[in-house]
């Protein structure tokens, strides 16, 4: 692939099976991590990205002219298990995980960009973006034009990455579970505050577990969710763990 395309633009999309059940890990990486089979899988994925992709791009002299974007489609699964062994990921301070329409643990994912010839190393951008932004970013890089006969929900990431703008164009992001709207966030640009309202949240089993161990995966509707009227409201700028819902008494605004 690289030898055939190194002198002209190319697009390579790699979707790895790693860090997803059943966590198929080659013999070389089994037992490598102190974090069990899931950790072994993470280490193998890291090796694949480094050796099969980044090293080859560098060897072919394409490092400074290739835009690389690494991300995940959702946060770590919490319910995954094999007998008594926990196989899911870990979402840190963020509540919830994969398959939950609104909680941060299912939404916040790694977003790592590399383009040494254009973007400075070590830059951290704390702005809400979306995987829907990949499409317009690729079109932008290729010098193309977005379709004009429909609404495109994504926005090119290039101005934000290059520092020509300071804020993401996503003022609102809507978080669905299947076809059901569970939550929406508002990035209040004039203050930098990020608010999030939950209209429906999964019923955890057991209640204090933070996951749906009883069902194996959280449902999107029916008796497996709680509807909130008024919605649960959080200030993610001050409460990223979504531990303290606001009320008119605590937050008059």
């Amino acid at each position: 692939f690289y030898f055939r395309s190194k002198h002209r633009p190319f697009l390579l999309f790699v979707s790895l099976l790693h860090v997803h059940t059943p966590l198929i890990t080659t013999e070389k990486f089994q037992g490598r991590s102190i974090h069990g089979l899931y950790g072994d899988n993470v280490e193998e994925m890291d090796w694949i990205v480094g050796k099969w992709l980044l090293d080859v791009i560098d060897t072919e002299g394409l490092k400074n002219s290739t835009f690389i974007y690494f991300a995940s489609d959702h946060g770590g699964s919490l319910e995954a298990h094999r007998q008594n062994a926990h196989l899911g990921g870990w979402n840190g301070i963020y509540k919830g995980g994969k398959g939950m329409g609104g909680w941060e643990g299912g939404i916040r994912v790694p977003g790592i960009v590399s383009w040494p010839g254009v973007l400075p190393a070590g830059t951290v951008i704390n702005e809400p973006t979306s995987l829907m932004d990949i499409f317009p970013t690729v079109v932008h890089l290729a010098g193309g034009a977005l379709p004009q006969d429909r609404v495109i929900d994504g926005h090119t990431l290039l101005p934000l990455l290059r520092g020509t703008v300071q804020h993401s164009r996503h003022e609102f992001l809507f978080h669905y579970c299947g076809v059901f709207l569970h939550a929406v966030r508002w990035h209040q640009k004039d203050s930098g505050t990020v608010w999030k309202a939950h209209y429906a949240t999964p019923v955890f089993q057991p209640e204090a577990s933070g996951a749906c161990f009883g069902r194996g995966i959280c449902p999107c509707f029916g008796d497996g969710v709680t509807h909130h009227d008024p919605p649960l409201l959080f200030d993610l700028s001050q409460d990223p763990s979504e531990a303290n819902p606001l009320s008119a008494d605590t937050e008059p605004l």
Side-chain angles (χ1 to χ4, degrees):
F1 171 85
Y2 297 101
F3 294 104
R4 190 170 69 244
S5 303
K6 67 178 293 184
H7 297 299
R8 57 191 176 94
F10 64 87
L11 172 67
L12 174 63
F13 174 75
V14 180
S15 182
L16 294 162
L17 292 173
H18 290 66
V19 301
H20 194 291
T21 54
L23 296 177
I24 298 170
T25 306
T26 60
E27 187 175 344
K28 177 180 178 180
F29 284 90
Q30 290 178 13
R32 288 274 295 266
S33 168
I34 63 172
H35 299 291
L37 187 58
Y38 187 91
D40 295 343
N41 218 237
V42 171
E43 294 206 12
E44 183 166 17
M45 178 185 67
D46 181 64
W47 178 81
I48 289 172
V49 171
K51 290 295 183 183
W52 290 11
L53 297 174
L54 301 185
D55 281 2
V56 174
I57 288 172
D58 194 13
T59 300
E60 294 297 320
L62 300 170
K63 184 176 181 179
N64 287 346
S65 59
T66 302
F67 178 88
I68 299 168
Y69 186 97
F70 176 89
S72 176
D73 54 344
H74 52 67
S77 168
L78 301 179
E79 294 87 1
H81 66 280
R82 183 182 301 160
Q83 297 172 338
N84 292 326
H86 177 76
L87 297 183
W90 181 67
N91 298 317
I93 67 170
Y94 302 113
K95 182 178 290 186
K98 173 189 176 181
M100 304 182 198
W103 295 119
E104 289 294 279
I107 296 169
R108 289 188 181 239
V109 297
I112 305 171
V113 176
S114 174
W115 194 3
V118 177
L119 305 177
T123 302
V124 177
I125 299 173
N126 186 23
E127 286 287 308
T129 61
S130 166
L131 293 183
M132 293 185 292
D133 297 334
I134 295 176
F135 171 64
T137 301
V138 169
V139 171
H140 185 161
L141 287 168
L146 293 173
Q148 298 300 305
D149 61 342
R150 71 204 71 183
V151 175
I152 302 297
D153 293 307
H155 304 292
T156 175
L157 294 169
L158 270 298
L160 189 62
L161 294 172
R162 283 175 162 154
T164 56
V165 301
Q166 299 304 309
H167 296 294
S168 164
R169 287 181 60 188
H170 290 288
E171 182 178 3
F172 293 94
L173 284 172
F174 297 87
H175 305 299
Y176 286 82
C177 186
V179 298
F180 300 93
L181 179 65
H182 274 211
V184 59
R185 82 179 57 218
W186 174 35
H187 186 215
Q188 191 177 1
K189 289 186 172 63
D190 58 349
S191 69
T193 304
V194 180
W195 308 93
K196 189 159 73 168
H198 288 262
Y199 300 96
T201 55
V203 177
F204 293 144
Q205 298 173 324
E207 186 176 348
S209 66
C212 298
F213 292 108
R215 294 174 179 261
I217 188 170
C218 290
C220 296
F221 62 95
D223 62 359
V225 302
T226 300
H227 293 274
H228 303 281
D229 185 14
L232 295 179
L233 180 64
F234 296 93
D235 177 359
L236 295 183
S237 312
Q238 303 296 324
D239 181 23
S241 299
E242 297 174 287
N244 303 299
L246 303 174
S247 69
D249 295 330
T250 60
E251 179 52 76
L253 175 61

